[in-house]
Amino acid sequence: MPFGVCKMCLQEKNLVSSHLIPRKVYEYCDREGHNPIVLSNDLLMASDRQWQYPLLCFDCEQVLNDGGEDWCVTKLATFEQTFPLYDLVTANPPVDSVNKTNIFFVRDLPAVKVKELVHFGMGMFFKAAVHGWQKGITEPRINLEPYTESLRLWLRGEGKFPSDMYLVVQIAPPDRAQIGLFPPYEAEDRVFYVYVPGLLFMLNVGPDVDMPMKPLCLWNNPDRPVLSSGVLIDKFTAHANERFQNAKQTQSFLRAMEKVAKEKGETFKN
């Protein structure tokens, strides 16, 4: 194990191989013999290649595991169009529907572990905010300043949720859920996305966050809203498709698409 300063506890310790997208997510995706679709460095591939780096100590890795990763990973969408988290969130009917977006309140659904869900998403954003995750890149993958330190403390249970950060959580209907991985990136000015199968986290940062986004924050709103379908997933999909068009499609991606289409009785057209 390399020895260095852990980015979460800030102490000099032996560092373990940390994963930007938790390793268990890859294992979950691959359990049916498929690799997730991954967009990495403008390459579109079906791969179990994982972004990893000696970033955190063992104890801080456990903070992330226990804080939300272990619970959330087992609730993601699958190739078979099952989606445990979707089933939990939609146990009650939506309280509202705006622009084809259903809004569910999960405050009275103890089976939906809100803190674990938020911790999971914010943990990935934090790791992207303290390291570049690409060879030769020294700058962090995303810039969350001046809130990175307050986020670090909150993840460790040592501070309040960062002010001027609003996390909107969106789930896709099982038949629309892409079994793919999109590591944290900035989609537009101070709006960041990270996607794991069926689950989209949109982090809005700064004092100038659009007013409609603030009451949709899963952590700040005591009603605990979770969104499904509609404009947010469409917006993300459109942005992802734009990146798809500009990305080089690898042979692994093409083979994976052919395999999925064959299992569905369809023909894959590149």
Side-chain angles (χ1 to χ4, degrees):
M1 291 184 183
F3 190 80
V5 177
C6 170
K7 291 291 188 178
M8 183 170 285
C9 67
L10 305 183
Q11 298 180 25
E12 291 189 349
K13 291 185 176 181
N14 289 324
L15 303 178
V16 299
S17 183
S18 300
H19 292 70
L20 178 55
I21 302 292
R23 173 180 53 82
K24 294 177 183 178
V25 174
Y26 289 88
E27 295 174 351
Y28 182 87
C29 292
D30 194 41
R31 61 186 179 145
E32 304 298 335
H34 295 269
N35 285 324
I37 301 304
V38 179
L39 183 61
S40 173
N41 300 339
D42 296 324
L43 289 177
L44 190 60
M45 65 186 78
S47 174
D48 61 358
R49 183 186 301 175
Q50 303 175 24
W51 294 274
Q52 51 188 310
Y53 186 80
L55 190 75
L56 306 180
C57 68
F58 175 81
D59 291 339
C60 286
E61 278 290 335
Q62 290 303 114
V63 168
L64 295 178
N65 291 340
D66 297 340
E69 290 179 2
D70 286 347
W71 184 81
C72 290
V73 166
T74 62
K75 306 297 185 294
L76 302 178
T78 71
F79 283 101
E80 293 73 36
Q81 298 188 357
T82 63
F83 191 178
L85 180 60
Y86 183 88
D87 295 338
L88 294 176
V89 169
T90 60
N92 290 335
V95 297
D96 200 359
S97 182
V98 180
N99 295 329
K100 299 181 180 180
T101 298
N102 291 325
I103 303 174
F104 297 88
F105 287 166
V106 300
R107 65 185 179 196
D108 297 323
L109 295 175
V112 180
K113 297 186 178 182
V114 170
K115 185 173 183 179
E116 283 82 351
L117 189 56
V118 174
H119 201 279
F120 176 53
M122 298 303 283
M124 289 185 285
F125 284 120
F126 171 77
K127 286 184 284 187
V130 296
H131 184 64
W133 297 98
Q134 294 182 33
K135 186 176 181 180
I137 302 296
T138 58
E139 293 296 318
R141 182 178 178 88
I142 60 175
N143 180 11
L144 295 183
E145 296 299 339
Y147 309 102
T148 307
E149 174 62 10
S150 56
L151 176 56
R152 180 187 74 84
L153 293 172
W154 180 81
L155 288 169
R156 285 180 51 82
E158 299 173 356
K160 296 181 179 180
F161 192 81
S163 61
D164 293 329
M165 276 191 166
Y166 302 89
L167 184 69
V168 179
V169 175
Q170 168 98 354
I171 53 174
D175 60 346
R176 291 187 58 188
Q178 298 181 30
I179 311 305
L181 304 174
F182 294 80
Y185 69 96
E186 186 171 9
E188 52 191 275
D189 186 35
R190 305 301 271 170
V191 179
F192 304 87
Y193 286 128
V194 62
Y195 178 87
V196 292
L199 177 58
L200 173 66
F201 295 99
M202 183 176 74
L203 181 62
N204 303 265
V205 176
D208 299 324
V209 169
D210 290 342
M211 287 301 296
M213 290 293 103
K214 293 182 178 181
L216 297 177
C217 176
L218 179 59
W219 186 257
N220 291 329
N221 187 334
D223 289 323
R224 308 305 189 200
V226 176
L227 283 60
S228 180
S229 192
V231 293
L232 284 181
I233 198 69
D234 290 341
K235 183 178 181 180
F236 170 74
T237 302
H239 189 269
N241 287 339
E242 180 180 347
R243 298 189 75 190
F244 280 174
Q245 294 299 321
N246 295 326
K248 179 181 178 181
Q249 297 183 357
T250 65
Q251 289 299 313
S252 66
F253 168 76
L254 297 175
R255 287 194 298 269
M257 292 297 95
E258 291 174 354
K259 182 178 180 180
V260 170
K262 183 177 181 180
E263 291 177 354
K264 292 182 178 180
E266 301 171 354
T267 300
F268 172 66
K269 297 181 179 180
N270 182 14

PDB file of all heavy atoms in Angstrom, residues 36-47 49 244 247-258 268 270:
ATOM      1  N   PRO A  36     -21.129  -2.877 -18.075  1.00  0.00           N
ATOM      2  CA  PRO A  36     -21.867  -1.626 -18.248  1.00  0.00           C
ATOM      3  C   PRO A  36     -21.288  -0.793 -19.383  1.00  0.00           C
ATOM      4  O   PRO A  36     -20.105  -0.900 -19.716  1.00  0.00           O
ATOM      5  CB  PRO A  36     -21.681  -0.930 -16.899  1.00  0.00           C
ATOM      6  CG  PRO A  36     -20.386  -1.461 -16.384  1.00  0.00           C
ATOM      7  CD  PRO A  36     -20.349  -2.891 -16.832  1.00  0.00           C
ATOM      8  N   ILE A  37     -22.136   0.056 -19.977  1.00  0.00           N
ATOM      9  CA  ILE A  37     -21.666   1.010 -20.969  1.00  0.00           C
ATOM     10  C   ILE A  37     -21.013   2.166 -20.225  1.00  0.00           C
ATOM     11  O   ILE A  37     -21.600   2.743 -19.309  1.00  0.00           O
ATOM     12  CB  ILE A  37     -22.825   1.516 -21.839  1.00  0.00           C
ATOM     13  CG1 ILE A  37     -23.505   0.325 -22.543  1.00  0.00           C
ATOM     14  CG2 ILE A  37     -22.329   2.531 -22.856  1.00  0.00           C
ATOM     15  CD1 ILE A  37     -22.577  -0.521 -23.379  1.00  0.00           C
ATOM     16  N   VAL A  38     -19.807   2.491 -20.633  1.00  0.00           N
ATOM     17  CA  VAL A  38     -19.016   3.497 -19.926  1.00  0.00           C
ATOM     18  C   VAL A  38     -18.508   4.517 -20.931  1.00  0.00           C
ATOM     19  O   VAL A  38     -18.031   4.143 -22.018  1.00  0.00           O
ATOM     20  CB  VAL A  38     -17.814   2.858 -19.198  1.00  0.00           C
ATOM     21  CG1 VAL A  38     -16.985   3.915 -18.490  1.00  0.00           C
ATOM     22  CG2 VAL A  38     -18.295   1.808 -18.193  1.00  0.00           C
ATOM     23  N   LEU A  39     -18.640   5.802 -20.579  1.00  0.00           N
ATOM     24  CA  LEU A  39     -18.037   6.853 -21.379  1.00  0.00           C
ATOM     25  C   LEU A  39     -16.829   7.369 -20.630  1.00  0.00           C
ATOM     26  O   LEU A  39     -16.944   7.945 -19.552  1.00  0.00           O
ATOM     27  CB  LEU A  39     -19.026   7.988 -21.630  1.00  0.00           C
ATOM     28  CG  LEU A  39     -18.528   9.126 -22.527  1.00  0.00           C
ATOM     29  CD1 LEU A  39     -18.190   8.603 -23.912  1.00  0.00           C
ATOM     30  CD2 LEU A  39     -19.570  10.228 -22.624  1.00  0.00           C
ATOM     31  N   SER A  40     -15.640   7.130 -21.176  1.00  0.00           N
ATOM     32  CA  SER A  40     -14.400   7.491 -20.496  1.00  0.00           C
ATOM     33  C   SER A  40     -13.434   8.101 -21.495  1.00  0.00           C
ATOM     34  O   SER A  40     -13.107   7.478 -22.503  1.00  0.00           O
ATOM     35  CB  SER A  40     -13.756   6.256 -19.854  1.00  0.00           C
ATOM     36  OG  SER A  40     -12.491   6.553 -19.324  1.00  0.00           O
ATOM     37  N   ASN A  41     -12.991   9.327 -21.195  1.00  0.00           N
ATOM     38  CA  ASN A  41     -12.000   9.988 -22.049  1.00  0.00           C
ATOM     39  C   ASN A  41     -12.439   9.987 -23.511  1.00  0.00           C
ATOM     40  O   ASN A  41     -11.660   9.719 -24.416  1.00  0.00           O
ATOM     41  CB  ASN A  41     -10.629   9.309 -21.923  1.00  0.00           C
ATOM     42  CG  ASN A  41     -10.109   9.362 -20.500  1.00  0.00           C
ATOM     43  OD1 ASN A  41     -10.535  10.186 -19.706  1.00  0.00           O
ATOM     44  ND2 ASN A  41      -9.187   8.471 -20.186  1.00  0.00           N
ATOM     45  N   ASP A  42     -13.745  10.253 -23.733  1.00  0.00           N
ATOM     46  CA  ASP A  42     -14.313  10.335 -25.077  1.00  0.00           C
ATOM     47  C   ASP A  42     -14.283   9.000 -25.817  1.00  0.00           C
ATOM     48  O   ASP A  42     -14.342   8.963 -27.052  1.00  0.00           O
ATOM     49  CB  ASP A  42     -13.608  11.411 -25.913  1.00  0.00           C
ATOM     50  CG  ASP A  42     -13.818  12.805 -25.334  1.00  0.00           C
ATOM     51  OD1 ASP A  42     -14.929  13.056 -24.822  1.00  0.00           O
ATOM     52  OD2 ASP A  42     -12.889  13.620 -25.393  1.00  0.00           O
ATOM     53  N   LEU A  43     -14.187   7.898 -25.065  1.00  0.00           N
ATOM     54  CA  LEU A  43     -14.330   6.564 -25.629  1.00  0.00           C
ATOM     55  C   LEU A  43     -15.601   5.941 -25.079  1.00  0.00           C
ATOM     56  O   LEU A  43     -15.851   5.976 -23.874  1.00  0.00           O
ATOM     57  CB  LEU A  43     -13.127   5.684 -25.283  1.00  0.00           C
ATOM     58  CG  LEU A  43     -11.801   5.991 -25.958  1.00  0.00           C
ATOM     59  CD1 LEU A  43     -10.727   5.052 -25.418  1.00  0.00           C
ATOM     60  CD2 LEU A  43     -11.913   5.871 -27.461  1.00  0.00           C
ATOM     61  N   LEU A  44     -16.410   5.385 -25.960  1.00  0.00           N
ATOM     62  CA  LEU A  44     -17.640   4.713 -25.561  1.00  0.00           C
ATOM     63  C   LEU A  44     -17.380   3.218 -25.609  1.00  0.00           C
ATOM     64  O   LEU A  44     -17.046   2.670 -26.662  1.00  0.00           O
ATOM     65  CB  LEU A  44     -18.770   5.097 -26.514  1.00  0.00           C
ATOM     66  CG  LEU A  44     -20.186   4.696 -26.132  1.00  0.00           C
ATOM     67  CD1 LEU A  44     -20.581   5.313 -24.796  1.00  0.00           C
ATOM     68  CD2 LEU A  44     -21.156   5.120 -27.222  1.00  0.00           C
ATOM     69  N   MET A  45     -17.509   2.555 -24.483  1.00  0.00           N
ATOM     70  CA  MET A  45     -17.118   1.146 -24.429  1.00  0.00           C
ATOM     71  C   MET A  45     -18.025   0.373 -23.479  1.00  0.00           C
ATOM     72  O   MET A  45     -18.711   0.950 -22.634  1.00  0.00           O
ATOM     73  CB  MET A  45     -15.663   1.022 -23.956  1.00  0.00           C
ATOM     74  CG  MET A  45     -15.435   1.499 -22.521  1.00  0.00           C
ATOM     75  SD  MET A  45     -13.683   1.519 -22.036  1.00  0.00           S
ATOM     76  CE  MET A  45     -13.163   3.033 -22.867  1.00  0.00           C
ATOM     77  N   ALA A  46     -18.050  -0.924 -23.640  1.00  0.00           N
ATOM     78  CA  ALA A  46     -18.636  -1.830 -22.660  1.00  0.00           C
ATOM     79  C   ALA A  46     -17.464  -2.443 -21.922  1.00  0.00           C
ATOM     80  O   ALA A  46     -16.695  -3.224 -22.484  1.00  0.00           O
ATOM     81  CB  ALA A  46     -19.473  -2.908 -23.341  1.00  0.00           C
ATOM     82  N   SER A  47     -17.301  -2.073 -20.672  1.00  0.00           N
ATOM     83  CA  SER A  47     -16.051  -2.416 -20.012  1.00  0.00           C
ATOM     84  C   SER A  47     -16.237  -2.475 -18.507  1.00  0.00           C
ATOM     85  O   SER A  47     -17.093  -1.798 -17.943  1.00  0.00           O
ATOM     86  CB  SER A  47     -14.991  -1.362 -20.356  1.00  0.00           C
ATOM     87  OG  SER A  47     -13.798  -1.569 -19.632  1.00  0.00           O
ATOM     88  N   ARG A  49     -13.520  -1.770 -16.886  1.00  0.00           N
ATOM     89  CA  ARG A  49     -12.388  -0.918 -16.520  1.00  0.00           C
ATOM     90  C   ARG A  49     -12.850   0.105 -15.486  1.00  0.00           C
ATOM     91  O   ARG A  49     -13.871   0.769 -15.673  1.00  0.00           O
ATOM     92  CB  ARG A  49     -11.839  -0.210 -17.753  1.00  0.00           C
ATOM     93  CG  ARG A  49     -10.605   0.658 -17.468  1.00  0.00           C
ATOM     94  CD  ARG A  49     -10.177   1.447 -18.682  1.00  0.00           C
ATOM     95  NE  ARG A  49      -9.865   0.559 -19.802  1.00  0.00           N
ATOM     96  CZ  ARG A  49      -9.555   1.017 -21.014  1.00  0.00           C
ATOM     97  NH1 ARG A  49      -9.553   2.316 -21.261  1.00  0.00           N
ATOM     98  NH2 ARG A  49      -9.283   0.154 -21.986  1.00  0.00           N
ATOM     99  N   PHE A 244     -22.199  10.799 -26.769  1.00  0.00           N
ATOM    100  CA  PHE A 244     -22.091   9.554 -27.521  1.00  0.00           C
ATOM    101  C   PHE A 244     -21.683   9.823 -28.970  1.00  0.00           C
ATOM    102  O   PHE A 244     -20.824   9.139 -29.535  1.00  0.00           O
ATOM    103  CB  PHE A 244     -23.434   8.814 -27.515  1.00  0.00           C
ATOM    104  CG  PHE A 244     -23.713   8.039 -26.267  1.00  0.00           C
ATOM    105  CD1 PHE A 244     -24.945   7.437 -26.083  1.00  0.00           C
ATOM    106  CD2 PHE A 244     -22.761   7.911 -25.269  1.00  0.00           C
ATOM    107  CE1 PHE A 244     -25.222   6.723 -24.934  1.00  0.00           C
ATOM    108  CE2 PHE A 244     -23.023   7.198 -24.122  1.00  0.00           C
ATOM    109  CZ  PHE A 244     -24.262   6.596 -23.952  1.00  0.00           C
ATOM    110  N   ALA A 247     -18.116  10.589 -29.277  1.00  0.00           N
ATOM    111  CA  ALA A 247     -17.197   9.599 -28.725  1.00  0.00           C
ATOM    112  C   ALA A 247     -16.889   8.517 -29.760  1.00  0.00           C
ATOM    113  O   ALA A 247     -17.712   8.197 -30.615  1.00  0.00           O
ATOM    114  CB  ALA A 247     -17.794   8.955 -27.479  1.00  0.00           C
ATOM    115  N   LYS A 248     -15.715   7.973 -29.642  1.00  0.00           N
ATOM    116  CA  LYS A 248     -15.328   6.852 -30.501  1.00  0.00           C
ATOM    117  C   LYS A 248     -15.935   5.576 -29.945  1.00  0.00           C
ATOM    118  O   LYS A 248     -15.764   5.230 -28.785  1.00  0.00           O
ATOM    119  CB  LYS A 248     -13.808   6.716 -30.541  1.00  0.00           C
ATOM    120  CG  LYS A 248     -13.327   5.543 -31.397  1.00  0.00           C
ATOM    121  CD  LYS A 248     -11.816   5.445 -31.371  1.00  0.00           C
ATOM    122  CE  LYS A 248     -11.346   4.242 -32.198  1.00  0.00           C
ATOM    123  NZ  LYS A 248      -9.867   4.107 -32.165  1.00  0.00           N
ATOM    124  N   GLN A 249     -16.694   4.878 -30.783  1.00  0.00           N
ATOM    125  CA  GLN A 249     -17.346   3.647 -30.361  1.00  0.00           C
ATOM    126  C   GLN A 249     -16.366   2.485 -30.507  1.00  0.00           C
ATOM    127  O   GLN A 249     -15.945   2.148 -31.614  1.00  0.00           O
ATOM    128  CB  GLN A 249     -18.608   3.396 -31.197  1.00  0.00           C
ATOM    129  CG  GLN A 249     -19.665   4.461 -31.014  1.00  0.00           C
ATOM    130  CD  GLN A 249     -20.930   4.160 -31.797  1.00  0.00           C
ATOM    131  OE1 GLN A 249     -21.005   3.176 -32.531  1.00  0.00           O
ATOM    132  NE2 GLN A 249     -21.936   4.996 -31.623  1.00  0.00           N
ATOM    133  N   THR A 250     -16.021   1.868 -29.400  1.00  0.00           N
ATOM    134  CA  THR A 250     -15.070   0.779 -29.416  1.00  0.00           C
ATOM    135  C   THR A 250     -15.755  -0.520 -29.837  1.00  0.00           C
ATOM    136  O   THR A 250     -16.989  -0.635 -29.829  1.00  0.00           O
ATOM    137  CB  THR A 250     -14.436   0.592 -28.029  1.00  0.00           C
ATOM    138  OG1 THR A 250     -15.455   0.197 -27.106  1.00  0.00           O
ATOM    139  CG2 THR A 250     -13.789   1.884 -27.543  1.00  0.00           C
ATOM    140  N   GLN A 251     -14.961  -1.518 -30.176  1.00  0.00           N
ATOM    141  CA  GLN A 251     -15.511  -2.819 -30.553  1.00  0.00           C
ATOM    142  C   GLN A 251     -16.261  -3.446 -29.382  1.00  0.00           C
ATOM    143  O   GLN A 251     -17.266  -4.133 -29.578  1.00  0.00           O
ATOM    144  CB  GLN A 251     -14.383  -3.734 -31.041  1.00  0.00           C
ATOM    145  CG  GLN A 251     -13.817  -3.338 -32.393  1.00  0.00           C
ATOM    146  CD  GLN A 251     -14.865  -3.380 -33.486  1.00  0.00           C
ATOM    147  OE1 GLN A 251     -15.622  -4.352 -33.612  1.00  0.00           O
ATOM    148  NE2 GLN A 251     -14.922  -2.315 -34.279  1.00  0.00           N
ATOM    149  N   SER A 252     -15.792  -3.210 -28.168  1.00  0.00           N
ATOM    150  CA  SER A 252     -16.481  -3.783 -27.012  1.00  0.00           C
ATOM    151  C   SER A 252     -17.885  -3.216 -26.889  1.00  0.00           C
ATOM    152  O   SER A 252     -18.837  -3.923 -26.554  1.00  0.00           O
ATOM    153  CB  SER A 252     -15.683  -3.511 -25.720  1.00  0.00           C
ATOM    154  OG  SER A 252     -15.639  -2.126 -25.423  1.00  0.00           O
ATOM    155  N   PHE A 253     -18.043  -1.931 -27.182  1.00  0.00           N
ATOM    156  CA  PHE A 253     -19.362  -1.308 -27.146  1.00  0.00           C
ATOM    157  C   PHE A 253     -20.269  -1.909 -28.216  1.00  0.00           C
ATOM    158  O   PHE A 253     -21.423  -2.268 -27.948  1.00  0.00           O
ATOM    159  CB  PHE A 253     -19.231   0.203 -27.348  1.00  0.00           C
ATOM    160  CG  PHE A 253     -20.535   0.900 -27.605  1.00  0.00           C
ATOM    161  CD1 PHE A 253     -21.424   1.131 -26.567  1.00  0.00           C
ATOM    162  CD2 PHE A 253     -20.869   1.317 -28.883  1.00  0.00           C
ATOM    163  CE1 PHE A 253     -22.634   1.763 -26.808  1.00  0.00           C
ATOM    164  CE2 PHE A 253     -22.080   1.948 -29.128  1.00  0.00           C
ATOM    165  CZ  PHE A 253     -22.965   2.174 -28.084  1.00  0.00           C
ATOM    166  N   LEU A 254     -19.764  -2.042 -29.434  1.00  0.00           N
ATOM    167  CA  LEU A 254     -20.571  -2.579 -30.522  1.00  0.00           C
ATOM    168  C   LEU A 254     -20.987  -4.023 -30.237  1.00  0.00           C
ATOM    169  O   LEU A 254     -22.137  -4.406 -30.480  1.00  0.00           O
ATOM    170  CB  LEU A 254     -19.795  -2.489 -31.838  1.00  0.00           C
ATOM    171  CG  LEU A 254     -19.441  -1.060 -32.297  1.00  0.00           C
ATOM    172  CD1 LEU A 254     -18.562  -1.118 -33.545  1.00  0.00           C
ATOM    173  CD2 LEU A 254     -20.691  -0.248 -32.554  1.00  0.00           C
ATOM    174  N   ARG A 255     -20.058  -4.827 -29.708  1.00  0.00           N
ATOM    175  CA  ARG A 255     -20.401  -6.216 -29.381  1.00  0.00           C
ATOM    176  C   ARG A 255     -21.461  -6.268 -28.291  1.00  0.00           C
ATOM    177  O   ARG A 255     -22.382  -7.105 -28.337  1.00  0.00           O
ATOM    178  CB  ARG A 255     -19.145  -6.980 -28.938  1.00  0.00           C
ATOM    179  CG  ARG A 255     -18.178  -7.302 -30.068  1.00  0.00           C
ATOM    180  CD  ARG A 255     -17.145  -8.330 -29.617  1.00  0.00           C
ATOM    181  NE  ARG A 255     -16.336  -7.832 -28.519  1.00  0.00           N
ATOM    182  CZ  ARG A 255     -15.190  -7.187 -28.683  1.00  0.00           C
ATOM    183  NH1 ARG A 255     -14.711  -6.965 -29.897  1.00  0.00           N
ATOM    184  NH2 ARG A 255     -14.493  -6.776 -27.633  1.00  0.00           N
ATOM    185  N   ALA A 256     -21.343  -5.387 -27.304  1.00  0.00           N
ATOM    186  CA  ALA A 256     -22.319  -5.376 -26.213  1.00  0.00           C
ATOM    187  C   ALA A 256     -23.700  -5.004 -26.721  1.00  0.00           C
ATOM    188  O   ALA A 256     -24.708  -5.595 -26.317  1.00  0.00           O
ATOM    189  CB  ALA A 256     -21.871  -4.407 -25.121  1.00  0.00           C
ATOM    190  N   MET A 257     -23.779  -4.018 -27.606  1.00  0.00           N
ATOM    191  CA  MET A 257     -25.067  -3.605 -28.155  1.00  0.00           C
ATOM    192  C   MET A 257     -25.695  -4.716 -28.987  1.00  0.00           C
ATOM    193  O   MET A 257     -26.906  -4.942 -28.952  1.00  0.00           O
ATOM    194  CB  MET A 257     -24.885  -2.347 -29.007  1.00  0.00           C
ATOM    195  CG  MET A 257     -24.513  -1.095 -28.209  1.00  0.00           C
ATOM    196  SD  MET A 257     -25.795  -0.573 -27.010  1.00  0.00           S
ATOM    197  CE  MET A 257     -25.192  -1.366 -25.509  1.00  0.00           C
ATOM    198  N   GLU A 258     -24.866  -5.430 -29.742  1.00  0.00           N
ATOM    199  CA  GLU A 258     -25.367  -6.554 -30.521  1.00  0.00           C
ATOM    200  C   GLU A 258     -25.914  -7.652 -29.614  1.00  0.00           C
ATOM    201  O   GLU A 258     -26.948  -8.261 -29.895  1.00  0.00           O
ATOM    202  CB  GLU A 258     -24.255  -7.101 -31.417  1.00  0.00           C
ATOM    203  CG  GLU A 258     -23.858  -6.157 -32.543  1.00  0.00           C
ATOM    204  CD  GLU A 258     -22.663  -6.661 -33.326  1.00  0.00           C
ATOM    205  OE1 GLU A 258     -22.082  -7.689 -32.908  1.00  0.00           O
ATOM    206  OE2 GLU A 258     -22.294  -6.026 -34.330  1.00  0.00           O
ATOM    207  N   PHE A 268     -29.395  -4.787 -33.887  1.00  0.00           N
ATOM    208  CA  PHE A 268     -28.656  -3.578 -33.530  1.00  0.00           C
ATOM    209  C   PHE A 268     -28.160  -2.891 -34.782  1.00  0.00           C
ATOM    210  O   PHE A 268     -27.532  -3.515 -35.639  1.00  0.00           O
ATOM    211  CB  PHE A 268     -27.476  -3.909 -32.622  1.00  0.00           C
ATOM    212  CG  PHE A 268     -26.552  -2.740 -32.370  1.00  0.00           C
ATOM    213  CD1 PHE A 268     -26.981  -1.636 -31.679  1.00  0.00           C
ATOM    214  CD2 PHE A 268     -25.247  -2.766 -32.874  1.00  0.00           C
ATOM    215  CE1 PHE A 268     -26.143  -0.557 -31.468  1.00  0.00           C
ATOM    216  CE2 PHE A 268     -24.392  -1.700 -32.659  1.00  0.00           C
ATOM    217  CZ  PHE A 268     -24.849  -0.596 -31.949  1.00  0.00           C
ATOM    218  N   ASN A 270     -25.857   0.247 -36.031  1.00  0.00           N
ATOM    219  CA  ASN A 270     -24.855   1.220 -35.611  1.00  0.00           C
ATOM    220  C   ASN A 270     -25.098   2.556 -36.326  1.00  0.00           C
ATOM    221  O   ASN A 270     -25.232   2.598 -37.525  1.00  0.00           O
ATOM    222  CB  ASN A 270     -23.459   0.688 -35.961  1.00  0.00           C
ATOM    223  CG  ASN A 270     -22.385   1.639 -35.489  1.00  0.00           C
ATOM    224  OD1 ASN A 270     -22.625   2.549 -34.699  1.00  0.00           O
ATOM    225  ND2 ASN A 270     -21.178   1.434 -36.011  1.00  0.00           N
TER     226      ASN A 270
END
